[in-house]
Amino acid sequence: MKLNGQVGTYEPNNLIYDTSFPIQTGAAKLKAGQGLLLQGTIIGKDSEGEYLVASTTATTPIVADAILTDDVDTGSEPGKSVFAETYISGSFNSDALLTDGTDKVSVHYDVLRTKGIYLKASI
């Protein structure tokens, strides 16, 4: 085994705006059957404690709580939940965040701010 071998790669993105506020990560139990959720997707808990894409327009609204750190495939059918890493605090580029397609990112600003997640538009 080589001690100086490459163990991974890093591809920069524009999700993190700056480090003026500490970036902290957490874990989320994602509900199965949502398909591929992309890095930067805003998620929130349902009544069962599982995470779905945040939405203010859903029949039962899902309140924003965290941001996915990476792409996660939850599968196409209900079944076993998937665990994923999330950002639970920090300063993020609002232009790089994703929603369910019916919401604008801006409708989640205020609730995310109360959780230590600050959104800023890129310059």
Side-chain angles (χ1 to χ4, degrees), residues 5 9-10 21 27 34 36 42 44 55 63 82 92-93 97 104 109 117 121-122:
T9 60
Y10 170 72
F21 191 80
Q34 299 181 79
L36 179 64
I42 301 170
S55 175
V63 178
V82 177
F92 299 92
N93 176 3
L97 297 180
K104 291 185 178 186
Y109 275 30
I117 297 174
S122 64

Side-chain angles (χ1 to χ4, degrees), residues 96-107:
L97 297 180
L98 303 169
T99 65
D100 68 350
T102 62
D103 279 351
K104 291 185 178 186
V105 171
S106 60
V107 302

Side-chain angles (χ1 to χ4, degrees), residues 10 13 15-16 22-28 39-41 43 65-70 84-92 97 112 115-117:
Y10 170 72
N13 60 49
L15 184 59
I16 297 172
I23 296 171
Q24 295 184 347
T25 59
Q39 175 189 49
T41 299
I43 60 173
D65 189 57
I67 298 169
L68 286 177
T69 63
D70 299 293
E85 187 173 17
T86 62
Y87 292 114
I88 57 172
S89 73
S91 176
F92 299 92
L97 297 180
L112 287 172
K115 298 173 182 295
I117 297 174

Side-chain angles (χ1 to χ4, degrees), residues 14-32:
N14 64 348
L15 184 59
I16 297 172
Y17 186 87
D18 62 30
T19 56
S20 61
F21 191 80
I23 296 171
Q24 295 184 347
T25 59
K29 183 179 178 183
L30 299 172
K31 184 169 234 139

